[in-house]
Structures are given as C-alpha cells and as structure tokens.
Amino acid sequence: MKIPQSVIEQDRQLDGVAEHSTEELARHRWHQTLDPDGPGYSITAYAAAVGKGEATIRRYVNGFVSMLTNGGTITDALATANMSGRKRAVAETLADVDGVSAAVVVKRRNNTGRSVANIAEQAEERVERSGQPVTDEAVAAEARAIAERQKQTREMEARNESNRKSKS
C-alpha cells in the first residue's frame, strides 16, 4: 500500500513542530536554571516547583547544553544527556555504524538487550585486556568493532532467512 504524500508531509510537519517545542522547553529549563543571564533557580527547586523529577529537568538542561556544544537535534541530545562522556561516545559510534541517530540507537538497543551501557562495558573490558590505556576514544573504537560485527551478523541472518523463504 502506497502512503499518500499528504500523510508523509503532515508527519514531517508535526515532527518538526514537536522537535521545536522540545527544544524550546529545554531552552526554557536551561534559562531558568543554568543560564548566566537567567534567574538562577536551582535545578532541585525548579523541578519541585514545576512538578517534575529532578532527573527530568537535569536531562533537559544537560541536553540543551549538549545540543549547543555538539550540534545535532535536541532529541539526540536528550537521549545522551545524562550519559557519561564514554557512554555518549559509544552511543554516537553505534549511531554512526547503524546509520541512525543516537536517540534511535539508545531506544532500539535498550529494547533488544544490547544497551549502550552493555556495549560500553564490553568494549572497556576488551581495551583493558589488550593492555591499551582505557580512554573514551579507545573504548569507542572497540565499540565500533563490536557494533560492526553485530551488524554483519544481522545482515547474514537476514540473508539466510531470505534464502530459506525463497527455497520454500
């Protein structure tokens, strides 16, 4: 079934509105708390006042700062906002290998049991065993190797499944 162009255009328009609204909310929360030109409310006090968890406010504030610093979308920045530098580097590496955004990687991998944290831990252990210094760059490079092997395995499994279906 072909999806009408009007449906696709509406989806893109609404997605853009949602992204913009999320960015504005993140900017607002940052301005109220950490912006040197803002009122300077503590994150704890602000979270309590607006009825949100402190972790939520911190994620938006950190995500906004990350977006300003690193570029990209607010969605990607929020997905990695509360990650350590090493896990963020791994998430971005996995996104590059998979050809998707960091937000998609975090969500997809958390749903499959191959979370960014698991890959980061596995990569860190491999770097330690190799005797190299354990740096964010070394762990990200090892995570790339792990992700590429996983991608090759998925592609091979898909080809095998396709071959089985064509034989039956």
Side-chain angles (χ1 to χ4, degrees):
M1 170 192 286
K2 184 168 173 30
I3 299 173
Q5 188 63 33
S6 62
V7 171
I8 295 168
E9 289 170 6
Q10 183 179 17
D11 185 275
R12 289 182 180 150
Q13 188 266 335
L14 292 171
D15 188 53
V17 169
E19 183 76 17
H20 179 74
S21 295
T22 301
E23 185 176 325
E24 285 303 309
L25 179 58
R27 179 187 315 273
H28 177 75
R29 288 174 172 173
W30 167 79
H31 175 71
Q32 299 303 318
T33 58
L34 296 185
D35 182 355
D37 296 328
Y41 303 122
S42 76
I43 289 177
T44 302
Y46 185 81
V50 300
K52 294 291 180 184
E54 188 176 333
T56 298
I57 302 303
R58 193 171 304 284
R59 185 170 66 91
Y60 274 78
V61 169
N62 291 341
F64 185 73
V65 171
S66 176
M67 184 191 73
L68 291 179
T69 305
N70 303 317
T73 67
I74 191 65
T75 302
D76 283 343
L78 290 175
T80 60
N82 288 343
M83 290 182 172
S84 67
R86 180 163 297 158
K87 285 181 188 166
R88 186 177 305 116
V90 168
E92 290 166 358
T93 298
L94 297 174
D96 185 52
V97 170
D98 290 349
V100 296
S101 71
V104 170
V105 162
V106 170
K107 186 174 185 174
R108 183 186 297 162
R109 287 181 170 273
N110 284 345
N111 291 338
T112 62
R114 295 186 316 258
S115 72
V116 170
N118 290 346
I119 298 293
E121 185 178 311
Q122 188 179 5
E124 191 171 322
E125 288 171 2
R126 289 181 183 195
V127 171
E128 285 173 353
R129 281 196 308 264
S130 75
Q132 298 176 50
V134 180
T135 63
D136 291 352
E137 294 79 16
V139 171
E142 186 59 37
R144 176 176 296 281
I146 292 167
E148 287 174 349
R149 282 192 297 277
Q150 288 177 344
K151 184 176 181 181
Q152 289 170 347
T153 300
R154 286 191 309 270
E155 289 169 350
M156 184 179 68
E157 288 170 351
R159 281 193 304 273
N160 289 343
E161 181 65 23
S162 178
N163 288 340
R164 275 194 296 274
K165 286 181 179 178
S166 67
K167 289 180 181 178
S168 34

